């Protein structure tokens, strides 16, 4: 299995079913965020160093890189509007936070200050306060 969304859904179904809401609309809203992170933000981030996936000309690579900060900032603004705090859906922790967190860690390299997005910064802090995330960070398993 290679796609983050599929991996997270499998983990949830196997080990942590509470990470996907039972309500179909709420579950769909969670997936909406996850798909946005996958298809928009992760791709925008990849333009910084993997332009060869989309183009062949060096000038194209530079053009893609030049847009990363702006595009990632736009992605942060999109996510910021959807956080009801401290997580996307208030107090409920979902798979959307599990996928958003690694992308938030990309931001410094992409030239984006998460502090410019207070709700995202709070979400990142809430994630880093979780014992499971703390353990992975302490082991150096996340850059």
């Amino acid at each position: 299995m290679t796609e983050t969304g599929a991996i997270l859904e499998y983990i949830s179904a196997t080990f942590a079913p509470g990470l996907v809401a039972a309500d179909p609309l709420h579950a769909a809203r969670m997936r909406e965020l996850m798909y946005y992170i996958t298809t928009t933000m992760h791709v925008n981030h990849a333009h910084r160093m993997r332009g060869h996936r989309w183009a062949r000309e060096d000038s194209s690579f530079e053009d893609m890189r030049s847009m990363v900060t702006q595009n990632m900032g736009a992605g942060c603004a999109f996510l910021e509007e959807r956080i009801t705090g401290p997580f996307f859906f208030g107090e409920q922790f979902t798979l959307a936070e599990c996928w958003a967190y690694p992308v938030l860690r990309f931001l410094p390299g992409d030239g984006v200050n998460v502090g410019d997005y207070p709700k995202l910064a709070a979400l990142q802090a809430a994630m880093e306060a979780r014992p499971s995330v703390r353990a992975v960070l302490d082991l150096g398993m996340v850059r």
Side-chain angles (χ1 to χ4, degrees):
M1 206 174 305
T2 61
E3 298 302 317
T4 302
I7 293 167
L8 290 173
E9 293 261 3
Y10 172 77
I11 290 169
S12 176
T14 306
F15 303 105
L19 296 179
V20 176
D23 173 63
L25 179 59
H26 188 212
R29 292 286 184 205
M30 178 208 69
R31 289 183 181 100
E32 174 185 32
L33 291 173
M34 291 175 63
Y35 295 163
Y36 179 82
I37 291 166
T38 298
T39 62
T40 301
M41 291 191 77
H42 198 251
V43 173
N44 289 338
H45 164 72
H47 283 170
R48 183 165 57 96
M49 66 288 232
R50 294 188 193 102
H52 63 276
R53 291 183 177 176
W54 296 277
R56 291 194 176 107
E57 302 295 325
D58 286 341
S59 61
S60 299
F61 304 153
E62 184 52 41
D63 197 28
M64 282 186 260
R65 280 191 294 272
S66 74
M67 294 296 296
V68 169
T69 299
Q70 178 182 332
N71 290 338
M72 291 300 283
C76 288
F78 177 88
L79 294 180
E80 178 87 357
E81 292 174 4
R82 283 147 181 85
I83 297 172
T84 60
F87 300 114
F88 287 111
F89 304 101
E91 297 294 325
Q92 183 179 7
F93 179 73
T94 71
L95 292 179
E97 287 80 24
C98 295
W99 190 196
Y101 178 70
V103 174
L104 295 176
R105 298 207 29 113
F106 297 161
L107 295 178
D110 292 339
V112 177
N113 178 2
V114 74
D116 293 339
Y117 306 91
K119 292 179 184 178
L120 277 178
L123 186 146
Q124 184 174 22
M127 290 296 293
E128 290 175 353
R130 296 179 67 80
S132 57
V133 174
R134 201 65 260 147
V136 171
L137 290 172
D138 290 346
L139 289 171
M141 295 175 71
V142 176
R143 291 191 241 164

